[in-house]
Amino acid sequence: MTARAAFWRGVLDEAPLLIGVAPFGLVYGVLALASGLSPWQAFALSFILFGGASQIVFAQLWAALAPVFVLAGSVFVLNLRHVLYSAAMAPYFRALPLRWRIVLAYFLTDEAFAISISKFQSQPDMPHKRYYFLGTGLTLWSGWQLSTLGGIWLGDLIPPALNLGFAIPLTFIALVVPVLRGRAELAAAAVAGVVALLGQSLPWNTWIILAAICGIIAGWAVDKTQRGRV
Amino acid sequence: MIWAVIILSGLLTFAARFIMLSPLAPKSIPDAAARVLRFVPVAVLSAIITPSVFLSGGAAVPLWDAQVIAAAVAAAVALISRSVLITLIAGMATLWSVGYFLG
């Protein structure tokens, strides 16, 4: 397989995921403007931050006038999961020149990671892995930027009665429910979900950070007791 | 001001993506850290889900609200189909139809 073929293989493998990403980006664009961000700021978030869930939370917290440390802290906690992806990709990309690793890290999203890692694990000897990953990452990136722009442009045309914003929790449900296999995952989800509800009136919208940390601790603790019993 | 926050958030996110690919990275994540990080996605996403399902405009919604029913249907569909797209379609269709009949 040539580098070019590997790149296009990545593009083709990633493309079906855009069906789910497009409405998400559209909703983000609409929500960002409704939150008081300018079109440029809404687009800059897609370009600079490039992370769907954290962009939505950023917009919501911005609308709620949360202070800077809560904004940045929430985004940071939300995106901590990327450390795991980065670690999983490291064996394949560690030997590459630094400029390649910087570029690939920028494209390391949930969706590009999911497609690439399953490919690399099933075909460990595949040549030109970096080009394959670039294909998946660039495809997702283009879909996200275009659908964001679509939301920014067409925002006014989408009737509020459609409740399109509900697509966001639904997307997250689709991602979370299938991984709730063990008691530890269930505990993490339940505690985080309940603390998020109870913490709504906390100052500066710190509930997201607090709920996430409580959920992580709950999952870790249950996992630890299970581990101890074995 | 907002631009500074956008850039700061972007840098923090990039740092999380780059850290294990950076020249300073250890060969692998320490076990203790991996055991904690494992729960980050589930906890974070659940914390975002519940307020958007069980609250509306800051107030609690009744359990027969279209949002709650749509979320329950979506959870069941997600468990069976494991597809984001199918879950999204089932959830939105439930939200609209329940809202139409009850609203």
Side-chain angles (χ1 to χ4, degrees):
Chain A
M1 195 191 287
T2 62
R4 186 183 292 250
F7 175 83
W8 286 109
R9 187 74 248 164
V11 170
L12 285 178
D13 288 350
E14 186 72 25
L17 275 77
L18 293 184
I19 304 171
V21 166
F24 198 172
L26 215 57
V27 168
Y28 161 73
V30 174
L31 186 91
L33 294 199
S35 304
L37 294 171
S38 76
W40 276 110
Q41 290 160 349
F43 183 63
L45 270 174
S46 277
F47 195 88
I48 297 174
L49 188 53
F50 186 36
S54 52
Q55 286 176 231
I56 296 221
V57 166
F58 188 106
Q60 285 171 337
L61 291 179
W62 179 258
L65 305 174
V68 170
F69 79 91
V70 175
L71 266 166
S74 302
V75 168
F76 179 67
V77 174
L78 249 65
N79 287 332
L80 259 185
R81 67 183 185 285
H82 291 106
V83 175
L84 289 173
Y85 305 162
S86 170
M89 283 298 177
Y92 306 109
F93 295 152
R94 192 182 283 133
L96 295 178
L98 186 61
R99 59 178 192 282
W100 264 98
R101 284 181 279 150
I102 291 174
V103 170
L104 296 183
Y106 172 70
F107 286 116
L108 195 52
T109 54
D110 300 80
E111 292 87 350
F113 170 77
I115 296 297
S116 290
I117 195 73
S118 63
K119 183 79 169 179
F120 296 170
Q121 282 171 350
S122 63
Q123 297 180 25
D125 299 327
M126 173 194 177
H128 304 302
K129 289 195 182 67
R130 68 181 100 167
Y131 288 99
Y132 180 87
F133 180 76
L134 198 61
T136 62
L138 209 55
T139 303
L140 186 89
W141 185 88
S142 313
W144 182 247
Q145 306 304 333
L146 286 177
S147 57
T148 296
L149 283 178
I152 292 171
W153 254 315
L154 307 172
D156 296 340
L157 302 176
I158 300 171
L162 280 180
N163 284 320
L164 223 49
F166 203 66
I168 291 160
L170 288 176
T171 306
F172 295 161
I173 287 172
L175 295 175
V176 164
V177 170
V179 299
L180 297 180
R181 278 177 301 234
R183 274 186 214 166
E185 277 81 8
L186 279 171
V191 169
V194 170
V195 172
L197 285 174
L198 298 179
Q200 286 294 312
S201 54
L202 286 175
W204 315 310
N205 286 283
T206 41
W207 59 269
I208 291 190
I209 298 180
L210 186 73
I213 291 175
C214 289
I216 292 164
I217 292 174
W220 170 81
V222 171
D223 182 53
K224 194 175 169 69
T225 51
Q226 282 180 331
R227 204 178 292 274
R229 219 181 292 139
V230 179
Chain B
M1 173 57 187
I2 181 160
W3 286 102
V5 191
I6 290 175
I7 290 167
L8 175 66
S9 301
L11 285 176
L12 287 171
T13 302
F14 179 78
R17 289 172 170 155
F18 182 59
I19 186 162
M20 296 304 289
L21 295 171
S22 73
L24 304 169
K27 279 258 171 199
S28 60
I29 295 188
D31 270 2
R35 272 186 224 130
V36 173
L37 286 175
R38 198 183 121 194
F39 296 103
V40 171
V42 170
V44 161
L45 295 179
S46 302
I48 303 173
I49 291 169
T50 53
S52 27
V53 169
F54 294 105
L55 306 176
S56 182
V61 298
L63 283 181
W64 56 87
D65 187 87
Q67 286 186 183
V68 181
I69 297 171
V73 169
V77 170
L79 201 58
I80 300 165
S81 72
R82 296 182 176 250
S83 151
V84 173
L85 186 64
I86 296 175
T87 305
L88 206 55
I89 292 170
M92 289 311 288
T94 309
L95 184 76
W96 290 332
S97 46
V98 172
Y100 180 79
F101 287 115
L102 292 186

